[in-house]
Amino acid sequence: MVIISALALLSAFAWVVTFYYSHSMDSQMSMQMPGMEQKPSLILEALLFLCMWIVMMVAMMFPAAAPMVIIFSNLHQSRKVKNEGFIPTWVFVAGYLIVWTLFGVLAYFVDRFVVYLDMSLPDLHKYSSLIGGVVLIAAGLYQLTPLKNVCLTHCRSPLNFIMHRWREGYLGALIMGMDHGVYCIGCCWGLMLVLFVVGIMNIAWMGILALVIFVEKISKHGVLISRIMGGLLILLGFIMAIRPEIFHF
């Protein structure tokens, strides 16, 4: 119950911070006068992006990661009683967040590259709906691939992960957390692409994707739900590319 409460509180706090930050950004953009833009330094900008990325991942991923974290914690609590070597759960969670942080660095450079293309090629903006549609189709197709199924099966079987990838000691727990994080990224990176189309700080879509990720990993029909989501994304991608006026992202 302590672990569940801690994960729930961290996730809830992360959602509050994300909502507040998203709302404050919208307010600043609406109040900003032309010619008064003040851009932070690249280093500060990268750090702000990374901090918000971590907060977003805590909000979106912690609920789905809870079963793995709970099993890890329970096993080490039983080992503590037997004096067989106890490792705090935060070590495992830290490894998990390290991997998502590194993925956030990659996401930042992708975001900067997109901004660079938009500034360097003004005419590219005319095809933004088409590009967004292609991204949604790509995300949907990934939902149907064997790699997605392998990663989802791993995330849906925490006990199997513990049995086959167990490592001793603090470093072993950290590596286990990173290992689980890699599979989690393999399961979810396609869905994360959607945020680059609808807006990284789009709270509504963050909530939808977080719910999809949670249901995929928890429900006994998770694989079917994953494929249905893939089909919906492909359909939305085609509609966005052909009839962009229907959507107002």
Side-chain angles (χ1 to χ4, degrees):
M1 291 304 298
V2 171
I3 297 297
I4 294 174
S5 300
L7 292 174
L9 287 174
L10 283 172
S11 183
F13 177 74
W15 275 108
V16 171
V17 172
T18 303
F19 179 81
Y20 174 79
Y21 185 76
S22 176
H23 180 72
S24 64
M25 282 182 61
D26 292 339
S27 299
Q28 290 176 11
M29 290 179 64
S30 63
M31 295 175 61
Q32 199 173 54
M33 298 294 292
M36 296 294 291
E37 296 88 351
Q38 293 183 353
K39 294 184 178 180
S41 66
L42 290 177
I43 296 178
L44 180 59
E45 185 182 69
L47 289 176
L48 288 174
F49 179 93
L50 203 55
C51 287
M52 283 311 305
W53 177 268
I54 295 172
V55 171
M56 287 167 55
M57 292 307 101
V58 169
M60 296 179 67
M61 299 299 170
F62 268 27
M68 183 73 74
V69 176
I70 292 170
I71 288 180
F72 180 90
S73 175
N74 288 342
L75 284 173
H76 272 284
Q77 288 294 334
S78 64
R79 286 165 64 90
K80 182 179 181 180
V81 173
K82 300 175 183 177
N83 294 319
E84 294 179 353
F86 170 75
I87 304 297
T89 306
W90 67 262
V91 179
F92 179 87
V93 175
Y96 181 79
L97 287 178
I98 286 173
V99 172
W100 273 107
T101 301
L102 294 175
F103 187 70
V105 173
L106 176 62
Y108 172 76
F109 283 112
V110 171
D111 182 65
R112 290 299 87 198
F113 180 69
V114 171
V115 173
Y116 170 77
L117 287 179
D118 187 52
M119 295 177 62
S120 302
L121 304 171
D123 291 340
L124 194 64
H125 185 71
K126 299 177 183 178
Y127 305 99
S128 59
S129 296
L130 177 61
I131 296 172
V134 171
V135 172
L136 291 179
I137 292 171
L141 289 175
Y142 181 74
Q143 290 287 104
L144 309 177
T145 62
L147 180 58
K148 162 71 178 190
N149 191 49
V150 168
C151 294
L152 180 58
T153 300
H154 161 85
C155 293
R156 289 171 50 82
S157 307
L159 189 57
N160 183 68
F161 170 81
I162 294 293
M163 292 174 60
H164 292 89
R165 296 184 177 271
W166 181 265
R167 294 174 182 266
E168 295 289 344
Y170 277 80
L171 180 60
L174 187 70
I175 294 175
M176 286 177 64
M178 296 176 68
D179 193 9
H180 180 56
V182 169
Y183 276 102
C184 190
I185 288 176
C187 180
C188 304
W189 76 268
L191 294 174
M192 293 296 103
L193 284 178
V194 177
L195 292 178
F196 285 93
V197 177
V198 300
I200 292 182
M201 298 300 297
N202 189 312
I203 298 296
W205 271 97
M206 281 179 60
I208 292 171
L209 294 177
L211 179 61
V212 170
I213 291 169
F214 179 77
V215 174
E216 278 186 354
K217 295 183 178 182
I218 300 299
S219 171
K220 63 180 181 179
H221 303 296
V223 175
L224 177 61
I225 292 171
S226 174
R227 293 172 180 172
I228 292 175
M229 187 64 185
L232 288 175
L233 288 175
I234 293 172
L235 178 61
L236 288 175
F238 276 112
I239 295 175
M240 186 178 185
I242 299 172
R243 299 287 300 277
E245 66 276 7
I246 296 179
F247 300 94
H248 301 283
F249 288 141

